[in-house]
Amino acid sequence: MNNFSYHNPTRILFGDGQIAAIAAEIPELARIMLVYGGGSIKRNHVYEQIQETLGERIVSEFSGIEANPEYSTLCKAVTQVKADKIDFLLAAGGGSVIDGTKFIAAAAQFNGEPWDILLQGGRNVTSALPFGCILTLPATGSEMNAGSVVNRSEMKAKMSFGSEHCFPQFSVLDPTTTLTLPERQLTNGIVDPFVHVIEQYLTYPVGADLQDRLAEAVLQSIVETGPKALADPQNYELRANLMWCATMALNGLLRNGVPQDWSTHMIGHELTALYGLDHAQTLAVVLPANLRVRKDAKREKLLQFGERLWGVTETSHPGSADERIEAIIVKTEEFFIAMGAPTRLADYGLDESAVDAVIKQLEQHNMVALGEKKDVTLDVSRQILMAAL
Ligand code: NZQ
Ligand code: ZN
């Protein structure tokens, strides 16, 4: 097992009715700005509950954070933070609102051009405003981690940053807030956490047995619960389990002491920046192709994953290891498709011209040595995209 340092300061307030608990989590004299997106929180009573709980303690509101939060919108929020002398942010929404809030929190205290935060991946962030979250779309894990992804349309750039100053102070995970999600977002909330686990698990063995078992437990829960939640969308228990899976998939626990990949995410971000695919859709396309192209480097973990998650063994699938690996990848694809996320670029109306465009973007963003061994060069990324056509 590799060395690691692990600290996660985010308090989780889990369950029905927990929005009421935030009043005690925010300093009494704080000047609060409520940050949200296009209005879903007004349709599922989240906004109402926040007003009931905090009332006039909210000094300011900033709405209109887009899915794939826009840099220019977030900069407007920073101006409002400064004008209203805000010292606490409350994010209510999905990963985009929470990521956006992290950026606002850091940029509000940053000297210089905020874009530099993204160019440096957050290494230059030395402080940030405190903030809390009310999560309404479980998928990204942003509610319990310190990472954020920001989109800048005019540059076709989707860039991420992370900083230990950007952990939420608390996050409310009330599964009832997710009952209004359209099916497409429920699909995203199954596929994205699944791939988060894979990025931290499906690399090469380092003897981190507990992390492997934890990762497999999250994968197994997602595979068992996802189809049931799609078939029974108003079931609280199923939503509760999916919600906690999504948080556990990316709160730092699974990556302790193990190599990490993240190449599927980096290639996927370019597809969103160029063509507007949902984040999780990009992952459903890139992951199977990525596993096919890099199956030799990932052989041991692929076979372990296939045996423990999909029950693919020498007995169930006699033949060569390569044949078993192909069966494992096909099972993974079938799962994404059954969850409502097609796995080919063509399914989203994209052809070979997208391959060149994405490679150009990766080059521009210096994504030229990705993966757990930094061997996913532009040439390998091209092979992956070609395999995803
Ligand atoms: O804007 P509103 O009106 O709130 O509507 C949103 C949005 O249109 C809607 N929605 C959210 N909760 C709802 C709801 N609709 C009905 N009922 C509810 N309860 O859903 C739409 C999509 O929301 P968004 O926040 O964009 O989705 P998601 O949570 O999937 O976040 C995606 C973003 O997170 C980034 C992605 O790149 C993408 O930009 N990621 C962040 C990560 C992190 N911080 O750790 C890791 C991830 O890998 C990912 O890259
Ligand atoms: Zn993701």
Side-chain angles (χ1 to χ4, degrees):
M1 197 188 310
N2 299 338
N3 292 359
F4 64 87
S5 159
Y6 181 51
H7 174 65
N8 191 315
T10 302
R11 177 185 298 279
I12 295 297
L13 300 160
F14 194 98
D16 187 8
Q18 288 298 303
I19 292 176
I22 64 175
E25 298 296 328
I26 303 175
E28 211 168 316
L29 297 176
R31 292 179 62 80
I32 306 169
M33 181 161 103
L34 173 62
V35 183
Y36 56 102
S40 70
I41 65 162
K42 294 201 167 157
R43 293 188 290 276
N44 59 10
H45 305 295
V46 167
Y47 183 83
E48 217 171 288
Q49 291 181 66
I50 295 169
Q51 292 298 338
E52 272 167 27
T53 303
L54 295 177
E56 289 173 3
R57 291 176 64 188
I58 296 173
V59 172
S60 186
E61 282 187 17
F62 189 90
S63 63
I65 307 265
E66 307 84 353
N68 306 309
E70 268 300 326
Y71 177 73
S72 58
T73 306
L74 303 176
C75 288
K76 285 182 197 147
V78 173
T79 307
Q80 189 171 320
V81 162
K82 289 179 179 167
D84 292 343
K85 299 191 169 37
I86 296 301
D87 55 19
F88 196 97
L89 303 174
L90 179 62
S96 294
V97 169
I98 297 176
D99 282 7
T101 301
K102 288 176 181 174
F103 185 76
I104 299 165
Q109 303 212 327
F110 187 73
N111 290 324
E113 178 61 37
W115 187 240
D116 285 345
I117 295 175
L118 292 154
L119 289 178
Q120 298 273 327
R123 283 182 294 278
N124 48 1
V125 172
T126 53
S127 69
L129 287 177
F131 65 97
C133 308
I134 296 168
L135 178 69
T136 66
L137 196 178
T140 64
S142 188
E143 65 280 4
M144 201 179 175
N145 69 38
S148 162
V149 190
V150 173
N151 199 44
R152 195 166 181 181
S153 294
E154 80 268 23
M155 291 185 175
K156 294 209 181 300
K158 197 169 187 221
M159 309 276 281
S160 48
F161 84 99
S163 162
E164 62 176 314
H165 303 287
C166 291
F167 277 103
Q169 305 236 315
F170 63 83
S171 284
V172 173
L173 275 60
D174 176 348
T176 65
T177 67
T178 73
L179 294 174
T180 51
L181 284 172
E183 190 171 302
R184 169 169 157 192
Q185 299 304 344
L186 188 51
T187 294
N188 291 345
I190 295 167
V191 173
D192 192 18
F194 185 98
V195 181
H196 290 160
V197 180
I198 295 287
E199 299 272 28
Q200 302 162 90
Y201 161 78
L202 222 170
T203 55
Y204 54 87
V206 290
D209 297 347
L210 176 62
Q211 282 87 327
D212 278 6
R213 294 287 185 187
L214 289 171
E216 289 153 3
V218 179
L219 291 173
Q220 208 156 11
S221 299
I222 294 171
V223 167
E224 281 171 17
T225 313
K228 292 184 195 159
L230 279 170
D232 184 7
Q234 295 303 306
N235 184 313
Y236 176 90
E237 291 303 333
L238 296 172
R239 290 304 176 108
N241 276 291
L242 271 186
M243 198 167 205
W244 190 224
C245 280
T247 302
M248 290 300 288
L250 198 53
N251 66 0
L253 189 65
L254 303 183
R255 68 156 189 240
N256 290 329
V258 296
Q260 299 177 69
D261 185 338
W262 296 109
S263 59
T264 294
H265 267 71
M266 294 308 129
I267 298 170
H269 285 171
E270 303 299 357
L271 283 167
T272 299
L274 283 173
Y275 306 110
L277 270 67
D278 286 355
H279 171 62
Q281 294 173 334
T282 71
L283 307 177
V285 168
V286 178
L287 181 73
N290 198 342
L291 296 179
R292 283 198 173 96
V293 170
R294 293 165 66 215
K295 68 177 179 186
D296 289 335
K298 290 178 179 288
R299 176 167 296 261
E300 279 180 81
K301 288 304 268 297
L302 260 169
L303 289 168
Q304 177 181 320
F305 160 72
E307 180 169 343
R308 295 187 184 172
L309 192 75
W310 301 126
V312 174
T313 63
E314 281 180 58
T315 317
S316 74
H317 288 72
S320 69
D322 273 338
E323 281 164 349
R324 279 200 296 287
I325 286 175
E326 180 54 25
I328 291 161
I329 297 171
V330 168
K331 280 190 182 289
T332 308
E333 272 175 327
E334 285 170 353
F335 175 66
F336 291 157
I337 293 166
M339 294 303 95
T343 56
R344 296 280 163 171
L345 284 169
D347 296 323
Y348 302 88
L350 298 176
D351 59 22
E352 214 172 318
S353 64
V355 176
D356 285 329
V358 170
I359 294 298
K360 207 166 137 206
Q361 291 271 110
L362 286 168
E363 189 169 17
Q364 260 170 22
H365 299 142
N366 203 25
M367 300 286 168
V368 295
L370 301 171
E372 63 270 25
K373 289 185 177 154
K374 306 271 168 257
D375 57 358
V376 181
T377 57
L378 290 179
D379 184 47
V380 177
S381 291
R382 180 180 290 280
Q383 289 173 42
I384 292 169
L385 288 159
M386 291 300 287
L389 278 173

